[in-house]
Amino acid sequence: MTTGYRRPIAIAALAATVLLVVPATAVHASPGPTPAATGNHTTAARLPRPTGPYAVGTEALHLTDRSRTDPWVPEAGPRELMVSLYYPARPGGRGATAPYMSTEEARLMLTAAGLGSASPTAVSSLRTHARTDAPTAPGRFPLVLLSPGFGNPRATLTSLAEDLASRGYVVASVDHAHESTGTALPDGRMLECAACDLVMAAPDEETVERLNATVSTGRGTDLSFVLGRLTGHHPAWRHARMIDPSRVAVAGHSIGGNAAASAMLADRRFDAGINLDGAFFAPIPATGLGGRPFLMLGTGTGHGPGGTDDTWDEAWQRLDGWKRWLTVEGAHHSTFTDVPFITERLGVPVDPAAPLSADRSARITRAYVAAFLDQHLRGRPRPLLDGPSPGNPEVVFQHP
């Protein structure tokens, strides 16, 4: 293992400060307020429109796993999770569009990212497309579980979740307790990132490695629990009848991508998985994933063959089913999330080392994630996965 890589990535990719990947000079160049702080927003205040034929509904769900004590704050008692459900809806719903996140969640996120001078409302007011109380579309649909990066609120995967729901997927986006800068619970409590503090205070490489693995495997257990509560005999969600439990995928960003593999290793109910630019801190074993398909989609700088993260080289050799390793030129670690839209909204300058625009970031992520899911949950072959395409010159197929 390349120890020169893993220590920085454990701190950068697992700490809350990775939330908004911006040039260092953008944070410290001027003591004055950002455009967002003054209200002079220069970019659209809405996420990109979903591309599928369905309208999108959404509902939040608070789940408690009473069989487990929270690993980060044991005195808090059982493990608690917040889940945002996105689902195909009938057109013309009268419900309001869902808020992106609460103002306090936005404040905590910006503070952790070193952007405390920016207005939290510039983020919390980002307009979404999913409507609350929207009537469900008829039929049964595949289920996709999403896990965000360490420190990142689940809201940072909203654009991807809305798009998948519009294409005919039920999506469950999970906030893992004490692993986000801020998770608001229905009773008014705010769970902050105790796990982030432990990672940042880790005294040595061995401790960091142990914490990395704990995050990934613990999230795998969280995701398996959520799956059970959505598809079991007494489901926790009122619209659970929409879900086809025979077609389930799990995907995540950063450590959430490693958690996707951990969930598949622990639970055969997950049929396919996706890692969006996450190191495999908890490695895939030599026995593989039982022949199930897996997509690795990451940055060209960090996650190419022989790159700074050698865990992808190891994982590639051990994946024993259908697999693809794709990298995106001009991308940064948070390209595969809503972070590019947030930084544009805040007026943060583009990093010249990662110039991919927010629009291209969303188009690429949505297209390749949806193609993978269509092919492996719906049995619809997608040529986009067969090799390079002129419409996506930034996407490089590794090991063709």
Side-chain angles (χ1 to χ4, degrees), residues 11-12 14-20 109 112-113 150-152 180-181 193 196 200:
I11 299 302
L14 290 184
T17 49
V18 80
L19 283 165
L20 304 181
M109 183 182 77
F150 192 70
N152 288 26
S180 163
T181 51
C193 197
C196 298
M200 293 300 291

Side-chain angles (χ1 to χ4, degrees), residues 70-90:
D70 189 274
W72 308 113
V73 186
E75 61 272 22
R79 181 74 162 161
E80 294 183 87
L81 304 168
M82 284 301 298
V83 181
S84 288
L85 278 303
Y86 299 86
Y87 57 91
R90 297 178 186 271

Side-chain angles (χ1 to χ4, degrees), residues 21 253 277 299 301 328 330-336 339-340 343 351 354 356:
V21 178
H253 168 247
D277 208 53
T299 57
T301 52
V328 183
H332 57 67
H333 183 57
S334 293
T335 283
F336 312 97
V339 167
T343 53
D351 184 348
L356 197 67

Side-chain angles (χ1 to χ4, degrees), residues 135-150:
T136 60
R140 303 186 79 195
F141 303 92
L143 173 65
V144 182
L145 278 73
L146 298 180
S147 180
F150 192 70

Side-chain angles (χ1 to χ4, degrees), residues 283-301:
I284 293 174
T287 52
L289 295 176
R292 286 168 290 174
F294 201 86
L295 170 66
M296 303 191 307
L297 177 64
T299 57
T301 52

